Amino acid sequence: MAPSPPTPRTVLGRLSLPERTYVADALRTETVGGVLLLVAAVAALVWANTFGGSYASVSDFHFGPSALGLDLSVAHWAADGLLAVFFFVAGIELKRELVAGELRDPRAAALPVVAALCGMVMPALVYLIVTTTGGGSTSGWAVPTATDIAFALAVLAVLGASLPSALRAFLLTLAVVDDLFAILIIAVFFTADLNFAALGGAFAGLALFWLLLRKEVRGWYVYVPLALVVWGLMYNSGVHATIAGVAMGLMLRCTRREGEEHSPGEHIEHLVRPLSAGVAVPLFALFSAGVTVSGGALGDVFTRPETLGVVLGLVVGKAVGIFGGTWLTARFTKAELNPDLRWPDVFALATLAGIGFTVSLLIGELAFDDDPALTDQVKAAVLVGSLIAALLAGVLLKMRVRTYQALYEYEERDEDMSGVPDVYEQDDPAYHLRMAAIYEEKAAEHRRKARAAGASSDGGDSPA
């Protein structure tokens, strides 16, 4: 008997209930964090353009133990220290996706991986084409390659669009893979001269961290000091310090054992994610997004090759790359698009992924660290490109908002009040019994009201 052909995968199909619950919880925190990120970015711009002297003095204020090579500025602490927390969460997310999420199945992983990869290659190509033809520096090719999930979700929150869970999950998974490639770019292309003694110490610390986890040693007072030592050694090694956060996040166990409601990785992510989204990333934005904005400076964004390359990379490269990668993957793997959605929905999501902020600002600082003036111009280009991408995505999403709201309401409907959306219970016999009881109760209530209305009418016409 010949084996049956594999069932075609559905692009942007409905999630399983556990995955839907995880995505909803993660996005709720990221959305709040994204709103704080927006507030921090606006505050930085206002501060830098009204009290520029104080902004510069605070950002450049140094503190820390110089004997350990950690006498850093406030802005430096934000970029290398606080963002390590952000990348720690990214590491846990990636580990969970690899062992329990969408990326555990190679067939399912192909779509977000190819889409994210194309969504990074195309912006880099756009940047290189613009800077090569315009005679600019090609050093910033990686700036427009990153997507900021928190900023993108904040835009969705501001727009008020009720996206179905499949679209939100695709955006989250895409951003996780995007973060992985961004981490590799930082580690490979933006590593300074290596200090092998410090690097060896960092690897020894990571090995101890892994061993303690395997021995199931518990206690934050063990892991937090060790994490700080590993981070300090990694910083002094010449490798970007945020790599330490990613490495430790990837070491956590994200599979549940019998009797466990949450795996250790999920538990720690639940504890640390609010710190990352609500404190670390907004503070980084506060001390990175403060660029001087004027009419001339904004004009230079569209005339200088480096900045124009960043803007076009975010707005055009991201949209074309992610949409093209998704379409090609669906075409050649015979996957089918969710019948409730259309390819313009995928393009709108791809456009939204052009919002590059946190990692784009970080890479901009690393790529042009020897030219502060150009660094500020590239930061302005990141802000302008992200704003244009947000506006375009907002228009595209608003055109389909009625469809999204209908899908969202269908997914959320829980008429039997069981706490589980009805769409996930339709194959459960107990669900149909509960619904039959609800309908019978409603019908009985309707009959009682009809009899009461009839009795009242008869009573009014009959003699006392």
Side-chain angles (χ1 to χ4, degrees):
M1 181 177 178
S4 58
T7 305
R9 293 199 62 83
T10 301
V11 179
L12 302 179
R14 186 182 304 124
L15 304 177
S16 65
L17 183 58
E19 188 68 11
R20 175 186 178 277
T21 303
Y22 168 80
V23 168
D25 292 341
L27 294 184
R28 190 176 299 113
T29 304
E30 291 290 356
T31 301
V32 174
V35 174
L36 294 175
L37 179 61
L38 284 172
V39 172
V42 172
L45 289 171
V46 172
W47 187 4
N49 287 274
T50 53
F51 304 100
S54 65
Y55 181 84
S57 62
V58 172
S59 297
D60 296 336
F61 179 77
H62 281 63
F63 67 97
S66 57
L68 300 178
L70 296 175
D71 183 18
L72 310 178
S73 67
V74 171
H76 212 160
W77 276 111
D80 288 270
L82 291 178
L83 276 196
V85 179
F86 166 79
F87 278 106
F88 175 69
V89 174
I92 300 175
E93 287 179 335
L94 178 61
K95 178 67 172 289
R96 187 199 167 277
E97 289 292 330
L98 288 171
V99 301
E102 288 291 296
L103 302 183
R104 73 187 185 279
D105 179 0
R107 291 177 61 211
L111 180 64
V113 169
V114 173
L117 188 58
C118 291
M120 299 187 82
V121 171
M122 188 59 67
L125 287 177
V126 170
Y127 179 91
L128 290 173
I129 291 171
V130 173
T131 53
T132 301
T133 57
S137 171
T138 58
S139 300
W141 62 270
V143 175
T145 60
T147 293
D148 194 303
I149 181 64
F151 218 144
L153 292 171
V155 171
L156 291 179
V158 171
L159 292 174
S162 297
L163 285 185
S165 58
L167 286 176
R168 291 177 178 267
F170 182 72
L171 185 61
L172 180 62
T173 306
L174 191 73
V176 170
V177 179
D178 188 288
D179 284 342
L180 170 63
F181 289 123
I183 291 161
L184 293 176
I185 288 173
I186 292 172
V188 174
F189 295 100
F190 297 102
T191 294
D193 296 334
L194 290 177
N195 180 330
F196 287 100
L199 186 60
F203 277 118
L206 289 172
L208 178 59
F209 189 89
W210 178 84
L211 182 62
L212 291 173
L213 289 173
R214 291 301 170 271
K215 296 295 184 181
E216 298 188 355
V217 176
R218 298 173 180 268
W220 64 268
Y221 45 84
V222 174
Y223 291 101
V224 172
L226 178 58
L228 292 175
V229 171
V230 171
W231 175 87
L233 289 168
M234 189 69 76
Y235 174 83
N236 283 286
S237 73
V239 178
H240 199 270
T242 54
I243 303 301
V246 177
M248 287 182 280
L250 286 170
M251 291 181 184
L252 293 175
R253 177 169 61 84
C254 292
T255 53
R256 301 177 188 178
R257 294 176 179 171
E258 186 176 355
E260 286 185 340
E261 185 177 355
H262 302 288
S263 67
E266 291 173 323
H267 176 67
I268 294 174
E269 180 190 6
H270 179 73
L271 295 175
V272 179
R273 185 186 288 275
L275 175 64
S276 169
V279 178
V281 175
L283 282 177
F284 166 75
L286 182 64
F287 293 107
S288 293
V291 295
T292 303
V293 178
S294 64
L298 291 177
D300 290 341
V301 167
F302 297 99
T303 56
R304 182 157 185 165
E306 295 89 350
T307 52
L308 181 60
V310 169
V311 173
L312 293 179
L314 289 172
V315 177
V316 178
K318 272 289 184 182
V320 173
I322 292 174
F323 178 81
T326 304
W327 186 85
L328 288 172
T329 305
R331 172 69 177 81
F332 291 105
T333 61
K334 297 182 179 180
E336 299 175 353
L337 183 65
N338 185 338
D340 294 323
L341 300 172
R342 301 289 181 268
W343 282 109
D345 299 318
V346 180
F347 186 76
L349 208 64
T351 304
L352 185 65
I355 299 176
F357 192 78
T358 305
V359 181
S360 291
L361 290 176
L362 175 62
I363 295 177
E365 292 179 355
L366 297 174
F368 301 106
D369 60 346
D370 57 344
D371 190 343
L374 183 54
T375 299
D376 284 347
Q377 290 176 339
V378 167
K379 287 182 179 180
V382 170
L383 295 174
V384 171
S386 299
L387 178 61
I388 294 173
L391 292 175
L392 289 176
V395 172
L396 294 173
L397 291 170
K398 280 293 186 183
M399 292 171 64
R400 295 271 291 166
V401 69
R402 290 186 178 178
T403 300
Y404 299 147
Q405 287 177 340
L407 290 173
Y408 181 80
E409 291 171 0
Y410 175 68
E411 288 182 356
E412 295 295 319
R413 187 178 298 124
D414 184 18
E415 292 189 5
D416 63 343
M417 304 296 288
S418 65
V420 177
D422 295 340
V423 69
Y424 291 97
E425 296 184 299
Q426 290 176 356
D427 295 330
D428 181 6
Y431 163 76
H432 294 287
L433 290 175
R434 288 196 301 271
M435 293 304 297
I438 290 172
Y439 291 142
E440 177 58 31
E441 183 178 345
K442 290 181 178 179
E445 178 67 21
H446 178 73
R447 289 192 295 268
R448 284 196 298 271
K449 289 182 178 179
R451 286 197 298 269
S456 174
S457 175
D458 294 341
D461 294 335
S462 59

